[in-house]
Amino acid sequence: MRALTRLALLGTSVALVAGATGATAAQAADGGSGNITIDKVVVNGGKPVVVGTTNVVSAKVSVTASDDSGIKETTYIHGAGPRPNYAQIWYDDGDITCVEVSATTSTCSGILTFDPQAATGFVNNAAAATWDLSTLVSANDYNYIHRDAATTFKVQRNSKLTVNASPEPVKKGKTITVTGKLSRANWEDNLYHGYTNQPVKLQFRKKGSTTYTTVKTIKSNSTGNLKTTVTASTDGYFRYSFAGTATTPAVSAAGDFVDVQ
């Protein structure tokens, strides 16, 4: 592997590379020769890549290309996003696996591996962003195609949400206080910190039902904490639910049951 980011790409059968970046020797202007085409590029099944503070996260990536002579290789794939981070993987390192779909079409695929605790490169939370995935593909007749942004995908900071409704049990008509906290991964210190000033829905599911309904929407405070009150009416579950942002995925707390007597 020629380069490594702190959100590192360390996979063993990697066909592709992603990072957040400036230019490298692998990059070039969009171009090509002949009738070769890139037909489809998919990162992580089309879903954002969500990274926490500890666990390595893997995302499957595939590039499908066609040429009348057949596809020889995907030379490299490079990810680009906020500077200064980047990484790339090359075919000649043996990390790209190409499978022939037909005489003219092949799919090259592999695993992007994201490690929030890798030692180099990934310097701050700016990497939670939309990344461009560039690639260079060549055909058996030496036609080639390069796309600097063959597709885009999001990298997000993992989110957590808690809830606690009390007192339990409670008499009908009395006040229930519902507290919780919305937090998200911080890649600068590998800890979770409160996500401040975010709209969060308080939802309720009546005992015996499978559906949550929104009671009210409140905002997390300066430390990510949540607190509101409701009037006890019937047995059921309270939870907080966060819709997510561009850099942080949606999350819902597990319901907390309240026995209303």
Side-chain angles (χ1 to χ4, degrees), residues 203-213 235-239 255 257:
Q203 298 182 324
F204 180 75
R205 175 169 65 88
K206 186 177 180 179
K207 182 180 179 180
S209 171
T210 59
T211 303
Y212 277 94
T213 58
D235 292 354
Y237 300 83
F238 286 96
R239 75 175 186 183
F257 182 76

Side-chain angles (χ1 to χ4, degrees), residues 25-246:
Q27 290 181 291
D30 281 0
S33 72
N35 58 358
I36 186 172
T37 59
I38 295 175
D39 305 325
K40 188 177 183 180
V41 181
V42 180
V43 181
N44 201 38
K47 300 178 292 183
V49 178
V50 179
V51 183
T53 60
T54 305
N55 294 336
V56 173
V57 176
S58 297
K60 183 179 179 180
V61 186
S62 62
V63 175
T64 301
S66 298
D67 184 83
D68 55 10
S69 70
I71 298 301
K72 179 183 178 183
E73 65 184 41
T74 295
T75 306
Y76 72 86
I77 296 177
H78 176 95
R83 292 176 182 267
N85 308 294
Y86 76 92
Q88 57 198 8
I89 294 174
W90 297 71
Y91 182 86
D92 61 15
D93 287 338
D95 295 322
I96 293 176
T97 301
C98 294
V99 176
E100 188 176 282
V101 177
S102 68
T104 60
T105 303
S106 292
T107 296
C108 298
S109 61
I111 304 296
L112 298 182
T113 304
F114 299 83
D115 185 354
Q117 296 195 0
T120 60
F122 191 64
V123 296
N124 55 43
N125 292 318
T130 298
W131 294 10
D132 293 330
L133 196 74
S134 64
T135 187
L136 173 64
V137 184
S138 61
N140 290 321
D141 61 2
Y142 302 105
N143 288 341
Y144 74 93
I145 185 170
H146 172 267
R147 289 293 177 264
D148 203 41
T151 193
T152 62
F153 66 101
K154 288 182 178 180
V155 174
Q156 295 182 325
R157 299 161 63 180
N158 189 45
S159 55
K160 293 183 177 182
L161 189 55
T162 62
V163 67
N164 182 58
S166 62
E168 304 172 51
V170 63
K171 290 185 177 181
K172 186 174 182 178
K174 295 296 184 178
T175 297
I176 297 173
T177 299
V178 187
T179 58
K181 184 169 185 175
L182 174 65
S183 59
R184 62 176 178 166
N186 186 313
W187 296 325
E188 296 172 17
D189 61 8
N190 290 324
L191 299 173
Y192 279 84
H193 294 272
Y195 197 7
T196 66
N197 198 36
Q198 296 300 311
V200 180
K201 294 178 180 179
L202 175 66
Q203 298 182 324
F204 180 75
R205 175 169 65 88
K206 186 177 180 179
K207 182 180 179 180
S209 171
T210 59
T211 303
Y212 277 94
T213 58
T214 298
V215 177
K216 63 175 75 174
T217 299
I218 64 172
K219 284 191 173 183
S220 57
N221 69 9
S222 60
T223 57
N225 289 319
L226 302 159
K227 185 177 181 179
T228 191
T229 59
V230 293
T231 300
S233 60
T234 187
D235 292 354
Y237 300 83
F238 286 96
R239 75 175 186 183
Y240 282 117
S241 184
F242 173 59
T245 62

